[in-house]
Amino acid sequence: MKKSHFCLPAAALSLALLCSACSGAPEKARGTTVVSEGLRFCESTLPYEAGVLVANFGTGQLDPLNNEGKGYIAYLHDGVVETLIPADGTLSAPKGMYLRDGRLFVCDVNRVAVYDLRRPGEAPQVIAFPEGELFVNDLAADGNDLYASVTNTGRIFRLDISDLAAVGAPEPWLEVPGPNGLVIRDGAMYVAAYPADGQTTPAHVIYRVADLRQPVAEPWIKVPGQYDGIAFSSDGRTLYVTNWAPAGVSAIDLETLEMQPVELDVEPAFAGPADMSVAGGRVYIPDLPNSRVVIFTE
């Protein structure tokens, strides 16, 4: 996700990135809907029961590093938004989430909070990250290893989650330029890179880590961007990614590695599509600055 004071690249760079990313005609999306009621600076979505969870900052101004304690987790289903975890002073800028056995892991500035959803109202377990690791952003797991990206330092940490009641301390695992969104499938990790200073460089691409036991981050989709969310399609043939510059969603064909923008009819246009998810044949994209979730049918 994007810091509120970041500067977008010049229009010429945005146009160049857009053209280089579009190797074919835009992919048409069907059944687009928008939900905004009950949401305030929503950064992340996660499949949950009949819908998705939505992480919200809840603040008056967009600040992903705030410490105001107004963050909350909403539950979006059937077009209705309910509060699952209220703003009680614990969360400030909740971002990427992960769910296992009733425990909800939530990235929040320089820590991860772990809620036991079976015990509503109980204080979460809090795992602090080392000093300076301020932009804990997204989570993905492989077995009992949970991986957390930290965008501002370019590190991915690993945490032992074999005991969910006592999650292990974060250990540095791999360095990747501006790691943001994470997803793991068939033993490989895919990493969406975002420039922490807002300046896109050739290093800000989509990376692939083929072997989690001997990790090496290799550029996989080499079109530079300000990538945020990353998620597989329901059939596993496509990888969706969100980008802040140009703002939008693209679909990567896993067989050809061709990347095409997904054409969505939404007004206003995307300002900052963030950590999306796929559930029930639908793609849920939080548009952070616009405080809304854009949903389209695959």
Side-chain angles (χ1 to χ4, degrees):
M1 58 125 316
K2 182 167 185 162
K3 289 187 71 174
S4 57
H5 63 269
F6 283 171
C7 296
L8 290 176
L13 175 58
S14 295
L15 180 59
L17 291 175
L18 178 61
C19 292
S20 62
C22 301
S23 52
E27 178 176 305
K28 294 284 187 179
R30 301 165 301 191
T32 304
T33 59
V34 176
V35 176
S36 58
E37 185 174 355
L39 305 177
R40 181 64 177 173
F41 295 136
C42 45
E43 198 280 341
S44 175
T45 61
L46 179 74
Y48 178 72
E49 295 185 349
V52 296
L53 300 180
V54 185
N56 297 266
F57 296 176
T59 49
Q61 302 294 324
L62 175 55
D63 180 2
L65 299 181
N66 82 83
N67 61 358
E68 296 181 28
K70 297 179 180 178
Y72 63 97
I73 308 298
Y75 174 36
L76 167 60
H77 63 100
D78 301 318
V80 177
V81 175
E82 301 175 347
T83 299
L84 181 72
I85 298 174
D88 61 2
T90 302
L91 297 174
S92 290
K95 303 179 184 70
M97 298 176 284
Y98 171 73
L99 183 65
R100 173 179 286 191
D101 297 340
R103 264 78 167 196
L104 178 65
F105 294 71
V106 184
C107 296
D108 187 29
V109 189
N110 64 336
R111 61 184 187 162
V112 170
V114 186
Y115 289 87
D116 189 341
L117 299 183
R118 301 167 304 176
R119 297 178 173 85
E122 185 176 283
Q125 177 186 173
V126 174
I127 298 94
F129 277 63
E131 184 177 357
E133 307 291 335
L134 298 176
F135 223 102
V136 184
N137 211 314
D138 199 17
L139 301 167
D142 178 64
N144 288 324
D145 292 325
L146 179 67
Y147 300 91
S149 61
V150 183
T151 307
N152 71 300
T153 61
R155 295 189 182 99
I156 297 176
F157 286 79
R158 182 172 57 189
L159 299 84
D160 181 358
I161 57 172
S162 56
D163 183 354
L164 293 175
V167 174
E171 300 177 349
W173 177 70
L174 184 64
E175 294 193 0
V176 182
N180 196 318
L182 303 177
V183 67
I184 296 174
R185 189 180 183 91
D186 297 331
M189 176 185 290
Y190 300 81
V191 183
Y194 180 90
D197 62 1
Q199 302 301 312
T200 306
T201 76
H204 297 109
V205 296
I206 306 297
Y207 288 87
R208 184 174 186 267
V209 182
D211 186 348
L212 301 182
R213 304 307 165 209
Q214 300 181 12
V216 177
E218 298 180 332
W220 183 65
I221 298 297
K222 301 178 181 180
V223 178
Q226 297 187 2
Y227 297 107
D228 193 319
I230 187 166
F232 280 97
S233 62
S234 297
D235 62 13
R237 298 178 180 177
T238 300
L239 186 64
Y240 296 111
V241 294
T242 60
N243 191 353
W244 283 67
V249 184
S250 292
I252 301 169
D253 186 307
L254 294 180
E255 183 174 339
T256 65
L257 298 190
E258 182 180 19
M259 182 166 68
Q260 299 179 348
V262 178
E263 190 174 274
L264 297 173
D265 185 17
V266 290
E267 291 293 339
F270 276 116
D275 188 8
M276 64 185 163
S277 62
V278 178
R282 295 182 175 183
V283 183
Y284 295 80
I285 309 161
D287 187 10
L288 175 58
N290 284 328
S291 296
R292 63 182 181 176
V293 171
V294 176
I295 308 164
F296 73 85
T297 303
E298 293 186 275

